């Protein structure tokens, strides 16, 4: 009979699991507040990966994970639908209000 040994995951892997679990919990809170949620992962370079969230009510938000792998684990744990791109029917679900329109106009005007 072969002996088996418990192999510990590297310390960084355990931290990444905790980060993914925390993000998944935050996604769940957002989903509950907005009647469900869908997402999209957007790599943002050395800063990590943005998890863009769009609620069934049109509300939206985002979270940032340190790595793409952590973001991917988080959305898997949260059990949400993830879109490849932020376009079409998915993008059309986003509802913007006066604040966003004013802010976008300000950016265009150099404000």
């Amino acid at each position: 009979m072969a002996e088996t040994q418990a192999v510990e995951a590297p310390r960084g892997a355990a931290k990444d699991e905790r980060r993914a679990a925390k993000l998944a919990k935050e996604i769940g809170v957002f989903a509950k507040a907005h009647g469900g949620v869908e997402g999209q992962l957007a790599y943002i370079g050395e800063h990590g990966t943005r998890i863009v969230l769009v609620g069934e009510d049109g509300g939206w938000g985002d979270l940032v994970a340190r790595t793409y792998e952590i973001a991917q684990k988080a959305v898997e744990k949260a059990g949400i639908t993830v879109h490849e791109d932020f376009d079409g029917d998915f993008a059309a679900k986003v509802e913007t209000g006066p604040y966003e329109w004013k802010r976008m106009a300000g950016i265009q005007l150099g404000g």
Side-chain angles (χ1 to χ4, degrees):
M1 213 159 118
E3 266 187 58
T4 59
Q5 291 181 329
V7 178
E8 275 188 52
R11 201 169 181 172
K15 265 186 165 176
D16 288 351
E17 273 299 317
R18 287 192 302 275
R19 286 180 176 132
K22 182 179 178 193
L23 288 167
K25 185 176 179 179
E26 292 178 40
I27 293 168
V29 169
F30 183 92
K32 188 174 181 180
H34 296 277
V37 67
E38 297 177 49
Q40 191 257 339
L41 302 181
Y43 178 69
I44 54 175
E46 66 184 52
H47 297 291
T49 298
R50 174 170 282 129
I51 304 169
V52 181
L53 302 171
V54 179
E56 290 300 315
D57 64 356
W60 57 279
D62 67 352
L63 300 166
V64 176
R66 196 170 58 88
T67 66
Y68 188 86
E69 290 75 23
I70 293 171
Q72 198 167 29
K73 283 181 186 177
V75 295
E76 287 172 5
K77 285 178 182 285
I80 68 169
T81 299
V82 179
H83 297 267
E84 290 291 320
D85 297 306
F86 194 83
D87 61 2
D89 292 336
F90 180 52
K93 289 183 176 185
V94 174
E95 289 189 17
T96 54
Y99 170 79
E100 289 85 6
W101 284 104
K102 182 178 178 182
R103 188 150 160 86
M104 287 185 279
I107 291 169
Q108 294 298 317
L109 300 173

